[in-house]
Amino acid sequence: MRRLAGLLVVPLLLLSTAACGNDKASDSASQDEFPAITAGAKFGEKPTLAKGEGDPPKELKTDVISEGDGAKLKNGDAIQVNYLGQAWDSAKPFDNSFDRKQPFDLTLGAGMVIQGWDKGLLGKKVGSRVELVIPPDLGYGEQGQGDIKPNATLVFVVDIVKATTVPASAEGTEVAQDNIDLPKVGTKTDGKAPTVTIPKSDPPKKLVSNYVLESKGDVVKETDSVVVNYVGLLWKGSKAFDSTYQTGKTQTFPLAQVTLKGLKNGLIGKKVGSRVLLVIPPDQAFGDKAQQSIPAKSTLVFAVDILAKM
């Protein structure tokens, strides 16, 4: 079963393409191990970074430039950050979120980003500005990535904008599933994948978005990023094609960037903390194009736990 997250949203910086590194990290580092911020030093401002001097450090280095007064980040938190990144031996950034005016969403410790981020941001407080110097084995390693050369040491300035603790499961009032022509979704809240039983009848022609468990949380808006667990199946044959539960890692979807129309439309207007059944007809899924293990003209079924929003 292959993950389809890359087909569901428009990718930004591919921070998850990382080498397998070691666990060495250091918070106690001299200032000459960090390229200077020559402009935009305050939290929220787009920084300008000088080129690194001399040989880069061989271990992860972190420097809290300004400490916020929020909670300390822990693995499993859904966080929102702004960042600027450049190579140690360059004065030109390869990417930043400040120009896009769109913070970057991730789940800390879930392997969604390079290891230098997961390790370097752990324990830092919300509202902090942090500078990270990341060696190749905790970055993109020997393969590089796009404009990033192989074996590059990376420097990031990261503003930790927001963090949310993510529950293990949806919670809420069970909603009757009495339409025999629609799939039935399990209601257990043990953090494991819910059962999904798809009927033998023909699939509906229009999008279905129904509560299975209805929470009292905030309503999801198109401008939100949502943290979800889900299982996705083909209506025909009831074969699962994707599941976050298999990896034990939630997925964060900035809804404005979700390209699967039925997934986006089916989640907007639903309440955070709920479990939702989505039945997505081909014209709101992948249409006439096959995708990985999904044949062309497939109706898709999702059971989605909306765990948090950013």
Side-chain angles (χ1 to χ4, degrees):
M1 185 185 303
R2 297 183 63 186
R3 295 300 307 278
L4 288 177
L7 298 174
L8 302 180
V9 297
V10 178
L12 296 176
L13 176 62
L14 296 178
L15 286 165
S16 60
T17 307
C20 295
N22 56 42
D23 292 328
K24 293 181 179 179
S26 174
D27 285 300
S28 56
S30 60
Q31 288 305 304
D32 59 3
E33 291 179 305
F34 295 92
I37 297 177
T38 58
K42 294 182 179 179
F43 183 95
E45 296 179 341
K46 179 185 175 181
T48 300
L49 272 174
K51 184 178 178 180
E53 297 181 0
D55 293 332
K58 297 186 181 301
E59 296 181 359
L60 173 66
K61 303 294 181 181
T62 66
D63 181 31
V64 178
I65 297 167
S66 61
E67 187 171 57
D69 57 5
K72 289 184 178 181
L73 300 184
K74 59 186 183 298
N75 285 331
D77 284 349
I79 70 172
Q80 195 171 72
V81 302
N82 276 311
Y83 67 89
L84 179 140
Q86 68 188 45
W88 174 272
D89 58 359
S90 172
K92 180 181 178 181
F94 54 76
D95 193 23
N96 83 91
S97 67
F98 294 93
D99 288 345
R100 289 191 292 269
K101 302 187 185 305
Q102 174 64 52
F104 180 67
D105 300 295
L106 67 139
T107 301
L108 193 66
M112 296 172 62
V113 291
I114 56 176
Q115 291 186 55
W117 270 46
D118 272 342
K119 296 176 186 296
L121 296 179
L122 183 65
K124 304 302 185 289
K125 293 182 178 181
V126 175
S128 297
R129 167 164 283 195
V130 181
E131 187 171 351
L132 305 174
V133 179
I134 301 175
D137 63 338
L138 296 178
Y140 296 98
E142 296 179 353
Q143 74 269 29
Q145 174 70 45
D147 293 334
I148 301 171
K149 298 177 182 179
N151 295 312
T153 294
L154 307 179
V155 183
F156 286 93
V157 175
V158 182
D159 286 354
I160 305 170
V161 178
K162 189 176 180 182
T164 302
T165 299
V166 179
S169 173
E171 298 278 354
T173 303
E174 291 188 23
V175 176
Q177 302 179 72
D178 49 13
N179 187 336
I180 61 172
D181 293 322
L182 291 179
K184 301 295 185 293
V185 179
T187 57
K188 291 183 178 180
T189 57
D190 54 6
K192 298 179 181 179
T195 58
V196 181
T197 305
I198 299 174
K200 301 297 184 182
S201 56
D202 291 335
K205 302 295 185 183
K206 295 182 179 181
L207 175 67
V208 173
S209 175
N210 291 345
Y211 283 117
V212 177
L213 298 173
E214 184 174 2
S215 178
K216 296 180 180 179
D218 293 338
V219 172
V220 173
K221 304 185 296 295
E222 184 175 2
T223 53
D224 291 330
S225 293
V226 292
V227 183
V228 299
N229 266 327
Y230 66 85
V231 58
L233 306 94
L234 301 174
W235 182 285
K236 185 177 181 179
S238 302
K239 182 180 179 181
F241 60 82
D242 194 12
S243 174
T244 58
Y245 296 95
Q246 282 207 335
T247 61
K249 299 173 182 178
T250 60
Q251 185 70 45
T252 300
F253 291 145
L255 288 177
Q257 298 162 22
V258 170
T259 56
L260 195 70
K261 185 178 179 181
L263 177 63
K264 177 179 179 178
N265 292 341
L267 295 180
I268 292 172
K270 291 296 186 282
K271 298 173 185 176
V272 175
S274 300
R275 178 171 296 164
V276 179
L277 164 69
L278 301 179
V279 181
I280 305 177
D283 63 344
Q284 294 198 49
F286 296 113
D288 294 334
K289 296 181 179 179
Q291 298 284 359
Q292 296 181 10
S293 60
I294 300 176
K297 299 182 180 179
S298 290
T299 295
L300 308 182
V301 178
F302 284 90
V304 184
D305 278 13
I306 309 172
L307 300 175
K309 75 169 186 172
M310 303 295 287

